[in-house]
């Protein structure tokens, strides 16, 4: 369970405190513009495959997966498994809720 201080989810702040995770969230905001294409799956339906994110990030698969796990645990992205592949999308509702709380509380 996440720690909440005056309405602000500390786990979300921790997830956002890393440059690579911020980059991934920004890229996921407009997958077509930031990733071009992916061989399998639709960006709007499944999300973006870990391997596509890995290629853009220039990091190892385990490192990218670890960053995505943190973002998922913080509730900032959703995950969908399709066969052997994992796909991620931003959770726009959760991001909007967090920014509203942050604006109100800080």
């Amino acid at each position: 369970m996440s720690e909440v201080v005056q309405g602000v989810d500390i786990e979300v702040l921790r997830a956002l405190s890393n440059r690579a995770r911020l980059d991934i969230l920004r890229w996921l905001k407009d997958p077509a513009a930031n990733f071009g294409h992916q061989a399998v799956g639709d960006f709007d339906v499944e999300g973006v495959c870990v391997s596509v994110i890995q290629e853009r990030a220039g990091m190892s698969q385990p490192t990218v997966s670890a960053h995505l796990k943190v973002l998922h645990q913080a509730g900032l992205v959703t995950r969908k498994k399709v066969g052997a592949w994992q796909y991620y999308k931003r959770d726009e509702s959760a991001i909007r809720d967090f920014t509203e709380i942050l604006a109100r509380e800080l």
Side-chain angles (χ1 to χ4, degrees):
M1 178 159 233
S2 293
E3 180 183 358
V4 177
V5 176
Q6 294 186 344
V8 178
D9 188 330
I10 300 301
E11 190 166 348
V12 175
L13 290 174
R14 286 183 185 126
L16 296 174
S17 70
N18 179 277
R19 175 61 186 252
R21 291 191 290 268
L22 285 173
D23 286 343
I24 291 168
L25 272 180
R26 270 198 318 275
W27 298 335
L28 291 174
K29 190 170 186 175
D30 187 356
N34 291 302
F35 298 106
H37 70 283
Q38 60 188 2
V40 177
D42 182 277
F43 290 138
D44 294 328
V45 177
E46 288 85 17
V48 181
C49 184
V50 173
S51 64
V52 174
I53 298 169
Q54 174 196 354
E55 184 177 323
R56 171 73 195 260
M59 297 178 204
S60 70
Q61 186 274 328
T63 299
V64 170
S65 290
H67 285 309
L68 289 165
K69 180 179 180 181
V70 170
L71 292 170
H72 183 257
Q73 289 175 333
L76 298 170
V77 297
T78 60
R79 178 176 60 207
K80 181 177 184 179
K81 185 172 179 150
V82 179
W85 297 278
Q86 297 283 337
Y87 291 80
Y88 288 85
K89 292 191 326 185
R90 287 167 49 113
D91 186 333
E92 296 298 341
S93 176
I95 292 169
R96 184 176 42 259
D97 290 348
F98 174 74
T99 59
E100 288 172 0
I101 291 167
L102 193 62
R104 184 175 61 245
E105 297 298 328
L106 293 181

